[in-house]
Amino acid sequence: MDSLNPHALLPQRSAIAEAANVQALGAESWQALMRGPALGDAELKALNRIAWLRSLPAGAMVFSRDQQASKLVAVLCGAVGLGQLRHDQPFHLERTVRGPAWLDLASAWIGGCHVQDARVLTPAQLLELDVDAVREMLARQPAMAERLLACMALNVHSLTGVTHDLMHKDAEKRLAAWLLQLSRRSAEGPDVVALGERKRDIAAQLAITPETLSRMMRQLKLKGLIEVQGYSVRLLDLAALATLAAD
Amino acid sequence: MDSLNPHALLPQRSAIAEAANVQALGAESWQALMRGPALGDAELKALNRIAWLRSLPAGAMVFSRDQQASKLVAVLCGAVGLGQLRHDQPFHLERTVRGPAWLDLASAWIGGCHVQDARVLTPAQLLELDVDAVREMLARQPAMAERLLACMALNVHSLTGVTHDLMHKDAEKRLAAWLLQLSRRSAEGPDVVALGERKRDIAAQLAITPETLSRMMRQLKLKGLIEVQGYSVRLLDLAALATLAAD
DNA sequence: CGAACCCTTGATACGCTTCAACAAGAGTGG
DNA sequence: CCACTCTTGTTGAAGCGTATCAAGGGTTCG
């Protein structure tokens, strides 16, 4: 019943209801979003003053691609998918964002629309900053601009990497690269990665079909590079995987 | 002989020699790079104070991908290719940037390296802003930050579109979309586009081989959608092309 | 004129998708 | 409790899309 909440698209009420929570938003969350040197008290206050929180259930839409973007949107916790919702049912995932991270830092600055649809995958807490309020804040906190530029720059680098992989790497290389990237952020050590989403969603992000993903996993298993047990993958030979992933 | 100038990688001398030129840089160039409302005199002065010009011949490298990025780099005029230079000879092009436009606005902010190699395709004039100088300038001209954010946001949108196309569109769709995009910026009217680069370079950016590009052009010609004469393409049915390009 | 490009065209090969079938778990209701 | 359905991942066979390889023609330039 809560997997698709129609009220999710009406932010006002819940945002107001949650406004009190903003003060409770820890400095660590802001720090994770804003990167750079430790945020000062003044900066944290300025941020908290203009932040709005939204809690959405799995399946809810965060924004849609034709929608005018007026806010910077971040995911505090949970996972949100960026992709395309088609009249033909299933949501076509292109990228998943797990908090804390920016979901759409770009669109609002150019007064355009979000170019992608965003859909909650795991019950998530979102943070929104009205871009006009941010503009005012930047006038008083010029150092904040630098943080935002750095965050968007990371975004650019990430996207550049994705396009490069799509242009030059085949399915096996992309999978190997994806596993290695996951292993770097893995909590269970560098050689065990937990697949945090359905395999079909992983496949969608790698721009292959679930069938091909299954076959590629078997390939890597046969080559002795990985060991698979359900949604846990052990990387047996990081060096060989890196060689394979390199273009 | 001037198609590959080894001195191109030594910026200091030529940058100093050209420093006097900076004052001559017209407001229109800055306006084209910075977008947004008209730049004030103070802003133009601040920009000119920290800008460095470089003129490079075709074939020269602007920067390489392992190189630490300390400057924001823009192309004033001419064309520069972003891609990968491999020990195996030919430069693999991923994107071409024609002036006036930013070439790498992101890398310097995160103190990383440019993720791509940049190579001059057409004799080009480049503009470089040391990121530390820009930081100082932003403290005095906070409105400038907003322009940079907007420029980088456009970059993000463009890259998002490219990845989407690579994920979901086949060669024919990508070519149709590319022709339509070119037609929007075309000087000779919306239905005639001049191919401004070698077809193999166009193919590289579409992530297909030159052979496939040739075949796809023939396909569109046979379908009556375009008319080709060398490097000039007439779009005979914009609506049909748009339908074809849509995913 | 040959040499070095570039684009084109055809034949073939390969990677990946599509389609179809099947097994395993999770939720549901009789 | 079992039958039923729904969803997910896996596997195999066939087919499409694009790359690769090889050859030929058109330019430009020394």
Side-chain angles (χ1 to χ4, degrees), chain A residues 9 54 56 59-69 73 75 79-97 103-104 107 113-121 126, chain B residues 157 160-161 164 168 247:
Chain A
L9 286 173
R54 269 168 91 190
L56 291 181
M61 297 302 295
V62 179
F63 53 71
S64 74
R65 74 192 142 200
D66 335 292
Q67 186 181 332
Q68 227 33 34
V73 187
V75 185
V80 176
L82 285 168
Q84 301 235 148
L85 184 64
R86 296 160 144 160
H87 34 287
D88 179 8
Q89 283 298 4
F91 184 76
H92 201 146
L93 187 66
E94 292 180 359
R95 208 156 61 88
T96 87
V97 177
L103 186 62
D104 186 351
S107 303
C113 45
H114 308 275
V115 174
Q116 296 175 299
D117 297 324
R119 179 187 215 209
V120 179
L121 302 177
L126 300 175
Chain B
H157 269 202
T160 303
H164 175 83
H168 302 313
D247 52 336

